[in-house]
Amino acid sequence: MPVVTLEGRGDFTEWREAARRLLISGVPPEAVDWRENADAGSDLFDRGADGRQVPAPTVSATSTLTVPKSFLDTAAAAICHADPARFAILYRVLNRLQRDRNLLSLTTDEDVAMLNGLVKSVRRDSHKMTAFVRFKEVGHRAGSERRRFVAWFEPDHYVVARVAPFFQRRFFDMDWMIATPRGVAAWDGAVMEVSSAPGQKSPMSDDTEDLWRTYFSSIFNPARLKVRAMQSEMPKKYWKNLPEASLIPAMIAGAEASVAAMAERAATDPPAFHARVRPAPDGQGSVVPSSRMTLEDVRAEAAGCTRCPLHCNATRTVFGEGPPDAPVMIVGEQPGDQEDLAGRPFVGPAGKLFDTVAQQVGLDRKSLYVTNAVKHFKYEMRGKRRLHQRPDAGEVEHCRWWLDLELALVKPRLVVAMGATALFALTGARPKIADVRGQILYPESGPGVFVTVHPSFLLRIPDAGRREEETARFAQDLARVAELAAHPSIGQAR
Ligand code: URA
């Protein structure tokens, strides 16, 4: 029986060459003994116990074997699996494909089902790698501004080469190395090197770990905790390399108490609707802007705002906050449940996420003026919970009175519209955010408006990998804002 020994570290070419030779020589699947991990110096084709070697091809080496393209894609994925049986399964399917070109469509066929199972688990492992690699910063490259990062990850299969292009696209502007027991990938801005040799784990810890923990605790909603789903999305085997995982047991243990506290707060805290209904609004704010008016004067006026019915159900006006001469103004949609109770913008989950990402890119929240397009919380009751409702165009229009005063008094050089409501309030236009994201739009008057997504959009993405990807894009947007803020001329009204 011919023995074929492959290194077997996800290299498709190595298996393809061997399989091609066997097939051309007419060796049937049951006659091959596939083995993994060549000893140094061993040949691809060893003699079997019976001394037989793969016969030399009886047809010309240039003779072509054709297989459906879908098989090549499937095989390239399946070969990354760690199961030693993969070589034989693939060779069996390859053989059968010579007689039955439609074999792969027979999903109930045992060989095809096994092959699909391999592919599925390689894809899942690749996806987990994109979601759970955690980089740690290790300084700058000598003589360069480029920051360097390393990460340790433990995949189940040989997926490093498959996943490396994803990291190259995502982290194009930094040097990085991802080491795993099943290979190493490294990018330096020009060349990507991928090796199938096992990497080394270096013991390291840095501030990024705290950021991950802050990020994780800010997106954790105890009321939505589903332990099974969470453990399936973030299986325990990955925890040891995830800085935020150390929080999970305590979060799960404390979830019930947190939910009870939330319910209690929702039940006992305002709003007491009838207690706060004010005399009928005349549709105008009482304030008449004057050149001597300060932001504090406007804030005090806004506290009694009755310009639209939203004041009836909200606890209080949530006015903007930050330095009265901040160079950058951040505008969100409207206060949420926690902001309504605290009386401050962006202190709930979306605010925490914003703070984390801003800090990560060097944007200090204390230097920003943070506000909302609409100053009262709009919601509907679901049991004892107050669920956010998007403000309509009329409510945004009414509240523009306050936003315009904030803009006139703070005079920011750049305004950041987070999400569609803010963009509408600032420009009167409703383009799709995806079409204008990252651009600076210039309304008829006032400073330029940089467009990005709202952080609650990120919190609503169910898939961890996609959420992380979108959060990285949001970080890129905020990094751009930090950069623009440093340039005195950028964003000024044209
Ligand atoms: N979402 C917003 O748009 N603003 C806040 O203040 C909180 C959540």
PDB file of all heavy atoms in Angstrom, residues 262 265 316 318 335-344 347-349 352 377 386:
ATOM      1  N   MET A 262     -32.428  47.177  37.550  1.00  0.00           N
ATOM      2  CA  MET A 262     -32.925  47.975  36.427  1.00  0.00           C
ATOM      3  C   MET A 262     -34.450  48.081  36.490  1.00  0.00           C
ATOM      4  O   MET A 262     -35.024  49.144  36.308  1.00  0.00           O
ATOM      5  CB  MET A 262     -32.531  47.328  35.094  1.00  0.00           C
ATOM      6  CG  MET A 262     -31.154  47.706  34.616  1.00  0.00           C
ATOM      7  SD  MET A 262     -30.545  46.558  33.365  1.00  0.00           S
ATOM      8  CE  MET A 262     -31.556  46.944  31.977  1.00  0.00           C
ATOM      9  N   ARG A 265     -35.497  50.373  39.197  1.00  0.00           N
ATOM     10  CA  ARG A 265     -35.271  51.777  38.864  1.00  0.00           C
ATOM     11  C   ARG A 265     -36.348  52.254  37.881  1.00  0.00           C
ATOM     12  O   ARG A 265     -36.935  53.294  38.048  1.00  0.00           O
ATOM     13  CB  ARG A 265     -33.894  51.928  38.235  1.00  0.00           C
ATOM     14  CG  ARG A 265     -33.413  53.339  38.242  1.00  0.00           C
ATOM     15  CD  ARG A 265     -32.025  53.398  37.698  1.00  0.00           C
ATOM     16  NE  ARG A 265     -31.978  52.866  36.356  1.00  0.00           N
ATOM     17  CZ  ARG A 265     -30.951  52.200  35.853  1.00  0.00           C
ATOM     18  NH1 ARG A 265     -29.892  51.961  36.580  1.00  0.00           N
ATOM     19  NH2 ARG A 265     -30.968  51.765  34.630  1.00  0.00           N
ATOM     20  N   ARG A 316     -36.538  64.934  32.156  1.00  0.00           N
ATOM     21  CA  ARG A 316     -35.959  66.280  32.126  1.00  0.00           C
ATOM     22  C   ARG A 316     -35.321  66.552  30.766  1.00  0.00           C
ATOM     23  O   ARG A 316     -35.131  65.621  29.973  1.00  0.00           O
ATOM     24  CB  ARG A 316     -34.869  66.413  33.196  1.00  0.00           C
ATOM     25  CG  ARG A 316     -33.813  65.319  33.106  1.00  0.00           C
ATOM     26  CD  ARG A 316     -32.717  65.509  34.124  1.00  0.00           C
ATOM     27  NE  ARG A 316     -33.178  65.391  35.495  1.00  0.00           N
ATOM     28  CZ  ARG A 316     -33.339  64.243  36.153  1.00  0.00           C
ATOM     29  NH1 ARG A 316     -33.058  63.100  35.544  1.00  0.00           N
ATOM     30  NH2 ARG A 316     -33.751  64.205  37.387  1.00  0.00           N
ATOM     31  N   VAL A 318     -32.251  67.070  28.548  1.00  0.00           N
ATOM     32  CA  VAL A 318     -30.836  66.695  28.638  1.00  0.00           C
ATOM     33  C   VAL A 318     -30.080  67.601  27.667  1.00  0.00           C
ATOM     34  O   VAL A 318     -30.082  67.381  26.451  1.00  0.00           O
ATOM     35  CB  VAL A 318     -30.622  65.205  28.298  1.00  0.00           C
ATOM     36  CG1 VAL A 318     -29.147  64.850  28.376  1.00  0.00           C
ATOM     37  CG2 VAL A 318     -31.425  64.334  29.241  1.00  0.00           C
ATOM     38  N   PRO A 335     -31.423  61.782  24.084  1.00  0.00           N
ATOM     39  CA  PRO A 335     -31.008  61.043  25.271  1.00  0.00           C
ATOM     40  C   PRO A 335     -31.728  59.698  25.336  1.00  0.00           C
ATOM     41  O   PRO A 335     -32.851  59.564  24.851  1.00  0.00           O
ATOM     42  CB  PRO A 335     -31.439  61.938  26.433  1.00  0.00           C
ATOM     43  CG  PRO A 335     -32.323  62.987  25.858  1.00  0.00           C
ATOM     44  CD  PRO A 335     -32.076  63.050  24.387  1.00  0.00           C
ATOM     45  N   GLY A 336     -31.066  58.718  25.926  1.00  0.00           N
ATOM     46  CA  GLY A 336     -31.702  57.418  26.142  1.00  0.00           C
ATOM     47  C   GLY A 336     -32.199  57.345  27.576  1.00  0.00           C
ATOM     48  O   GLY A 336     -32.192  58.342  28.312  1.00  0.00           O
ATOM     49  N   ASP A 337     -32.579  56.130  27.964  1.00  0.00           N
ATOM     50  CA  ASP A 337     -33.148  55.913  29.301  1.00  0.00           C
ATOM     51  C   ASP A 337     -32.223  56.434  30.406  1.00  0.00           C
ATOM     52  O   ASP A 337     -32.630  57.174  31.296  1.00  0.00           O
ATOM     53  CB  ASP A 337     -33.383  54.400  29.460  1.00  0.00           C
ATOM     54  CG  ASP A 337     -33.954  54.050  30.808  1.00  0.00           C
ATOM     55  OD1 ASP A 337     -35.145  54.310  31.016  1.00  0.00           O
ATOM     56  OD2 ASP A 337     -33.209  53.545  31.662  1.00  0.00           O
ATOM     57  N   GLN A 338     -30.947  56.056  30.319  1.00  0.00           N
ATOM     58  CA  GLN A 338     -30.033  56.434  31.406  1.00  0.00           C
ATOM     59  C   GLN A 338     -29.707  57.916  31.382  1.00  0.00           C
ATOM     60  O   GLN A 338     -29.529  58.545  32.420  1.00  0.00           O
ATOM     61  CB  GLN A 338     -28.758  55.597  31.319  1.00  0.00           C
ATOM     62  CG  GLN A 338     -29.071  54.142  31.539  1.00  0.00           C
ATOM     63  CD  GLN A 338     -27.834  53.315  31.833  1.00  0.00           C
ATOM     64  OE1 GLN A 338     -26.837  53.807  32.343  1.00  0.00           O
ATOM     65  NE2 GLN A 338     -27.903  52.047  31.493  1.00  0.00           N
ATOM     66  N   GLU A 339     -29.621  58.489  30.178  1.00  0.00           N
ATOM     67  CA  GLU A 339     -29.335  59.919  30.060  1.00  0.00           C
ATOM     68  C   GLU A 339     -30.502  60.720  30.631  1.00  0.00           C
ATOM     69  O   GLU A 339     -30.312  61.740  31.303  1.00  0.00           O
ATOM     70  CB  GLU A 339     -29.123  60.310  28.591  1.00  0.00           C
ATOM     71  CG  GLU A 339     -27.817  59.836  27.979  1.00  0.00           C
ATOM     72  CD  GLU A 339     -27.791  58.371  27.585  1.00  0.00           C
ATOM     73  OE1 GLU A 339     -28.881  57.734  27.567  1.00  0.00           O
ATOM     74  OE2 GLU A 339     -26.703  57.842  27.291  1.00  0.00           O
ATOM     75  N   ASP A 340     -31.716  60.239  30.378  1.00  0.00           N
ATOM     76  CA  ASP A 340     -32.916  60.927  30.857  1.00  0.00           C
ATOM     77  C   ASP A 340     -32.923  60.965  32.386  1.00  0.00           C
ATOM     78  O   ASP A 340     -33.313  61.960  32.998  1.00  0.00           O
ATOM     79  CB  ASP A 340     -34.138  60.168  30.326  1.00  0.00           C
ATOM     80  CG  ASP A 340     -35.437  60.647  30.937  1.00  0.00           C
ATOM     81  OD1 ASP A 340     -35.942  61.681  30.478  1.00  0.00           O
ATOM     82  OD2 ASP A 340     -35.931  59.990  31.873  1.00  0.00           O
ATOM     83  N   LEU A 341     -32.469  59.865  32.992  1.00  0.00           N
ATOM     84  CA  LEU A 341     -32.465  59.831  34.457  1.00  0.00           C
ATOM     85  C   LEU A 341     -31.303  60.646  35.022  1.00  0.00           C
ATOM     86  O   LEU A 341     -31.434  61.323  36.034  1.00  0.00           O
ATOM     87  CB  LEU A 341     -32.377  58.375  34.949  1.00  0.00           C
ATOM     88  CG  LEU A 341     -33.575  57.494  34.541  1.00  0.00           C
ATOM     89  CD1 LEU A 341     -33.358  56.058  34.971  1.00  0.00           C
ATOM     90  CD2 LEU A 341     -34.865  58.030  35.135  1.00  0.00           C
ATOM     91  N   ALA A 342     -30.164  60.573  34.342  1.00  0.00           N
ATOM     92  CA  ALA A 342     -28.976  61.264  34.866  1.00  0.00           C
ATOM     93  C   ALA A 342     -28.950  62.748  34.488  1.00  0.00           C
ATOM     94  O   ALA A 342     -28.253  63.538  35.119  1.00  0.00           O
ATOM     95  CB  ALA A 342     -27.713  60.581  34.336  1.00  0.00           C
ATOM     96  N   GLY A 343     -29.675  63.117  33.430  1.00  0.00           N
ATOM     97  CA  GLY A 343     -29.653  64.509  32.984  1.00  0.00           C
ATOM     98  C   GLY A 343     -28.384  64.871  32.229  1.00  0.00           C
ATOM     99  O   GLY A 343     -28.081  66.052  32.068  1.00  0.00           O
ATOM    100  N   ARG A 344     -27.652  63.865  31.753  1.00  0.00           N
ATOM    101  CA  ARG A 344     -26.411  64.140  31.002  1.00  0.00           C
ATOM    102  C   ARG A 344     -26.403  63.312  29.717  1.00  0.00           C
ATOM    103  O   ARG A 344     -26.856  62.158  29.723  1.00  0.00           O
ATOM    104  CB  ARG A 344     -25.184  63.754  31.841  1.00  0.00           C
ATOM    105  CG  ARG A 344     -24.994  64.605  33.079  1.00  0.00           C
ATOM    106  CD  ARG A 344     -23.734  64.164  33.786  1.00  0.00           C
ATOM    107  NE  ARG A 344     -22.613  64.163  32.852  1.00  0.00           N
ATOM    108  CZ  ARG A 344     -21.568  63.332  32.960  1.00  0.00           C
ATOM    109  NH1 ARG A 344     -21.485  62.455  33.931  1.00  0.00           N
ATOM    110  NH2 ARG A 344     -20.590  63.395  32.083  1.00  0.00           N
ATOM    111  N   VAL A 347     -24.294  58.927  28.632  1.00  0.00           N
ATOM    112  CA  VAL A 347     -23.731  58.267  29.820  1.00  0.00           C
ATOM    113  C   VAL A 347     -24.177  56.802  29.891  1.00  0.00           C
ATOM    114  O   VAL A 347     -23.720  56.058  30.749  1.00  0.00           O
ATOM    115  CB  VAL A 347     -24.130  58.987  31.132  1.00  0.00           C
ATOM    116  CG1 VAL A 347     -23.490  60.349  31.225  1.00  0.00           C
ATOM    117  CG2 VAL A 347     -25.653  59.095  31.254  1.00  0.00           C
ATOM    118  N   GLY A 348     -25.080  56.382  28.993  1.00  0.00           N
ATOM    119  CA  GLY A 348     -25.552  54.989  28.981  1.00  0.00           C
ATOM    120  C   GLY A 348     -24.630  54.124  28.127  1.00  0.00           C
ATOM    121  O   GLY A 348     -23.481  54.494  27.867  1.00  0.00           O
ATOM    122  N   PRO A 349     -25.125  52.956  27.681  1.00  0.00           N
ATOM    123  CA  PRO A 349     -24.276  52.028  26.914  1.00  0.00           C
ATOM    124  C   PRO A 349     -23.651  52.653  25.663  1.00  0.00           C
ATOM    125  O   PRO A 349     -22.461  52.451  25.400  1.00  0.00           O
ATOM    126  CB  PRO A 349     -25.240  50.900  26.541  1.00  0.00           C
ATOM    127  CG  PRO A 349     -26.364  50.999  27.519  1.00  0.00           C
ATOM    128  CD  PRO A 349     -26.468  52.425  27.947  1.00  0.00           C
ATOM    129  N   LYS A 352     -20.906  54.958  26.752  1.00  0.00           N
ATOM    130  CA  LYS A 352     -19.704  54.259  27.245  1.00  0.00           C
ATOM    131  C   LYS A 352     -18.891  53.742  26.075  1.00  0.00           C
ATOM    132  O   LYS A 352     -17.662  53.794  26.079  1.00  0.00           O
ATOM    133  CB  LYS A 352     -20.097  53.111  28.171  1.00  0.00           C
ATOM    134  CG  LYS A 352     -20.629  53.617  29.499  1.00  0.00           C
ATOM    135  CD  LYS A 352     -20.576  52.505  30.551  1.00  0.00           C
ATOM    136  CE  LYS A 352     -21.197  52.982  31.848  1.00  0.00           C
ATOM    137  NZ  LYS A 352     -22.511  52.370  32.108  1.00  0.00           N
ATOM    138  N   PHE A 377     -36.067  62.606  25.985  1.00  0.00           N
ATOM    139  CA  PHE A 377     -36.119  61.168  25.682  1.00  0.00           C
ATOM    140  C   PHE A 377     -37.508  60.810  25.142  1.00  0.00           C
ATOM    141  O   PHE A 377     -38.513  61.043  25.802  1.00  0.00           O
ATOM    142  CB  PHE A 377     -35.831  60.410  26.986  1.00  0.00           C
ATOM    143  CG  PHE A 377     -35.866  58.906  26.884  1.00  0.00           C
ATOM    144  CD1 PHE A 377     -35.467  58.235  25.734  1.00  0.00           C
ATOM    145  CD2 PHE A 377     -36.265  58.142  27.987  1.00  0.00           C
ATOM    146  CE1 PHE A 377     -35.488  56.841  25.665  1.00  0.00           C
ATOM    147  CE2 PHE A 377     -36.282  56.760  27.932  1.00  0.00           C
ATOM    148  CZ  PHE A 377     -35.895  56.109  26.768  1.00  0.00           C
ATOM    149  N   ARG A 386     -38.749  51.322  29.396  1.00  0.00           N
ATOM    150  CA  ARG A 386     -38.965  52.422  28.449  1.00  0.00           C
ATOM    151  C   ARG A 386     -38.100  52.152  27.222  1.00  0.00           C
ATOM    152  O   ARG A 386     -36.877  52.166  27.303  1.00  0.00           O
ATOM    153  CB  ARG A 386     -38.562  53.741  29.105  1.00  0.00           C
ATOM    154  CG  ARG A 386     -39.354  53.994  30.387  1.00  0.00           C
ATOM    155  CD  ARG A 386     -39.135  55.379  30.919  1.00  0.00           C
ATOM    156  NE  ARG A 386     -37.765  55.649  31.293  1.00  0.00           N
ATOM    157  CZ  ARG A 386     -37.298  56.859  31.567  1.00  0.00           C
ATOM    158  NH1 ARG A 386     -38.079  57.905  31.475  1.00  0.00           N
ATOM    159  NH2 ARG A 386     -36.040  57.037  31.934  1.00  0.00           N
TER     160      ARG A 386
END
